[in-house]
């Protein structure tokens, strides 16, 4: 009797450990669901939207310009930020606000990315704390799940802050 | 013949179920609790890789103890390199957030480590790519804390936090002077 109870308990613990480990691997290497809060990515993502962020492209280094990513905040590792990648390493980015008279440009250093929110007026991003190390990126947001009327992939950047090529950036 | 086929199928089923148990558990243990890594390069001489050459030390990285990003000054930690996201570097923590650090060859002579960052240096000055070249490192890049040297066996030991002489945070009076 006692032995059977012990065996059942051990079996239950074993299954818990196994499924916990499978869940960890799925969240760590495939993707996770994230509830976004804060106004920095409006109008693309508004407060309390639920998005799916996939981890594969971060592990394979396939993050591109224009992708929305979830990253750890450089000043508080327990906080996550959701921003759009404006420049990869070696790219030229504009650090000044669009209304400024003089445009200030800088180059993104090696191994870093330049992140900006879509809501330029209300976003703390690389314009205030500089380029962010690539290794802080946790995943790429690929699907919006909630609210249901806006289900689907995410739209392009509305801010036109992404400088496409060298020739484009010289002409403006 | 038929018996052989059932035996083969049973073997396959046991193999698949074992595979689905072993691989996730191994990955989770390596990600959450402990990780074994080989130390390459001369940046931590003489503490790690004292002879140099081709034989590398193997260290145990404790990942459970850094889950809340808590480290002490003098700990040896492995950090994702800010320059190359594929690479991990192993260095010693010199200063935590808010500390004043006298730098060795950085662009500013004194640096206050910003919030959520730390200052890391290799023990072998001049042969190490560390905070003196890329500045304070964000806490989120922390990967693990080296807790034991596993290989070679004659140097098997627990790693205790220890700051090199003359390094470490400055007192505020000293900084003003």
């Amino acid at each position: 009797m006692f032995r059977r109870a012990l065996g059942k308990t051990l079996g239950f613990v074993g299954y818990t450990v196994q499924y916990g480990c499978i869940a960890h691997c799925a969240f760590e290497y495939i993707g996770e669901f994230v509830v976004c809060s804060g106004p920095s990515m409006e109008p693309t993502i508004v407060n309390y939207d639920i998005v799916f962020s996939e981890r594969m492209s971060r592990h394979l280094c396939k993050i591109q310009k224009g992708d929305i990513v979830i990253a750890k905040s450089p000043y508080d590792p327990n906080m996550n930020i959701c921003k759009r990648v404006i420049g990869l390493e070696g790219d030229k980015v504009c650090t000044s606000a669009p209304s400024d008279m003089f445009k200030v440009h800088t180059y993104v250093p090696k191994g870093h990315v330049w992140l900006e929110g879509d809501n330029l007026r209300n976003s703390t991003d690389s314009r205030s704390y500089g380029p962010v190390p690539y290794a802080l990126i946790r995943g790429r947001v690929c699907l919006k799940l909630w609210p249901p009327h806006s289900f689907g992939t995410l739209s392009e950047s509305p801010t036109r802050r992404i400088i496409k090529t060298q020739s484009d950036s010289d002409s403006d | 013949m038929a018996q052989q086929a059932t035996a083969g199928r049973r073997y396959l089923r046991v193999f698949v179920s074992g595979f689905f148990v072993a691989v996730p558990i191994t990955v989770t243990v390596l990600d959450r609790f402990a990780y074994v890594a080989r130390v390459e390069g001369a940046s931590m001489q003489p503490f790690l890789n004292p002879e140099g050459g081709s034989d590398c030390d193997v260290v145990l990285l404790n990942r459970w103890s850094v889950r809340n990003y808590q480290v002490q000054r003098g700990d040896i930690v492995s950090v994702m390199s800010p320059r190359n996201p594929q690479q991990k570097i192993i260095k010693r923590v010199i200063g935590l957030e808010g500390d004043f650090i006298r730098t060795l060859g950085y662009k500013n002579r004194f640096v206050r480590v910003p919030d959520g960052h730390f200052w890391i240096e290799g023990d072998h000055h001049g042969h190490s790519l560390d905070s003196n070249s890329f500045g304070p490192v964000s806490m989120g890049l922390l990967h693990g804390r080296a807790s034991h040297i596993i290989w070679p066996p004659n140097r098997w030991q627990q790693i205790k936090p220890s700051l090199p002489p003359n390094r470490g945070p400055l007192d505020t009076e000293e900084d003003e002077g």
Side-chain angles (χ1 to χ4, degrees):
Chain A
M1 181 63 196
F2 175 71
R3 184 176 282 182
R4 196 196 287 171
L6 187 72
K8 264 193 175 171
T9 317
L10 279 182
F12 178 73
V13 169
Y15 272 115
T16 316
V17 170
Q18 182 188 349
Y19 287 111
C21 292
I22 291 174
H24 166 87
C25 292
F27 288 138
E28 196 69 21
Y29 294 99
I30 297 169
E32 59 187 353
F33 302 97
V34 185
V35 183
C36 296
S37 60
S40 71
M41 283 301 284
E42 283 172 7
T44 317
I45 296 172
V46 294
N47 217 348
Y48 305 119
D49 277 6
I50 298 175
V51 295
F52 179 73
S53 110
E54 53 103 5
R55 312 292 293 265
M56 294 305 289
S57 52
R58 178 237 176 275
H59 289 293
L60 301 171
C61 285
K62 290 265 171 63
I63 302 279
Q64 289 168 344
K65 263 196 274 189
D67 286 344
I68 298 173
V69 295
I70 308 265
K72 285 184 204 163
S73 166
Y75 285 94
D76 182 5
N78 294 312
M79 211 172 72
N80 289 334
I81 53 175
C82 179
K83 304 280 179 222
R84 195 183 287 275
V85 178
I86 300 293
L88 301 172
E89 57 180 22
D91 284 345
K92 190 180 184 183
V93 289
C94 175
T95 55
S96 53
S99 57
D100 282 1
M101 284 277 281
F102 301 102
K103 290 205 185 297
V104 184
H105 288 97
T106 186
Y107 289 93
V108 182
K110 193 170 183 305
H112 287 64
V113 291
W114 191 269
L115 302 179
E116 276 181 18
D118 280 356
N119 190 357
L120 287 173
R121 280 196 217 108
N122 197 348
S123 163
T124 313
D125 49 32
S126 284
R127 287 170 299 157
S128 58
Y129 46 65
V132 175
Y134 183 92
L136 285 180
I137 294 179
R138 290 173 54 86
R140 183 175 74 92
V141 175
C142 60
L143 265 183
K144 192 146 110 173
L145 303 173
W146 192 265
H149 61 81
S150 59
F151 179 87
T153 52
L154 291 141
S155 53
E156 292 285 304
S157 167
T159 56
R160 298 206 203 149
R161 297 270 295 171
I162 300 173
I163 299 175
K164 287 280 185 242
T165 55
Q166 200 70 36
S167 54
D168 285 354
S169 67
D170 288 339
S171 65
D172 65 18
Chain B
M1 193 65 193
Q3 215 166 15
Q4 214 171 14
T6 34
R9 209 178 297 154
R10 191 182 302 150
Y11 176 77
L12 192 72
R13 192 183 300 155
V14 168
F15 178 80
V16 168
S17 66
F19 187 82
F20 273 101
V21 173
V23 170
I25 289 180
T26 317
V27 170
T28 309
V29 167
L30 289 180
D31 273 359
R32 289 274 163 191
F33 300 104
Y35 193 84
V36 178
R38 220 164 52 134
V39 181
E40 284 168 5
S43 73
M44 285 301 283
Q45 278 176 358
F47 190 72
L48 299 172
N49 283 352
E51 283 99 38
S54 59
D55 46 341
C56 297
D57 283 10
V58 177
V59 292
L60 181 77
L61 300 175
N62 188 338
R63 304 201 63 179
W64 182 249
S65 69
V66 297
R67 67 194 184 280
N68 293 326
Y69 307 100
Q70 278 169 346
V71 288
Q72 292 173 23
R73 296 182 194 95
D75 275 344
I76 294 182
V77 293
S78 73
V79 171
M80 248 101 70
S81 167
R83 290 276 177 86
N84 179 3
Q86 307 284 344
Q87 202 184 26
K88 293 186 186 76
I89 53 179
I90 186 156
K91 302 281 177 238
R92 197 183 285 278
V93 178
I94 301 291
L96 301 175
E97 54 186 10
D99 287 351
F100 284 95
I101 301 290
R102 183 172 52 83
T103 65
L104 307 166
Y106 188 53
K107 58 187 178 192
N108 304 337
R109 191 153 153 65
F110 294 97
V111 163
R112 184 187 169 276
V113 181
D115 289 347
H117 285 65
F118 46 41
W119 189 269
I120 53 172
E121 276 179 8
D123 285 359
H124 197 185
H125 295 306
H127 293 79
S128 164
L129 193 68
D130 53 24
S131 280
N132 286 313
S133 53
F134 45 68
V137 175
S138 174
M139 216 61 129
L141 297 174
L142 185 63
H143 176 255
R145 179 175 65 82
S147 58
H148 294 84
I149 298 178
I150 299 176
W151 192 264
N154 57 339
R155 290 199 298 118
W156 194 97
Q157 58 177 302
Q158 197 176 354
I159 299 176
K160 298 232 167 54
S162 70
L163 279 173
N166 311 325
R167 299 297 297 152
L170 302 170
D171 297 333
T172 34
E173 310 92 73
E174 209 178 324
D175 178 69
E176 282 159 9

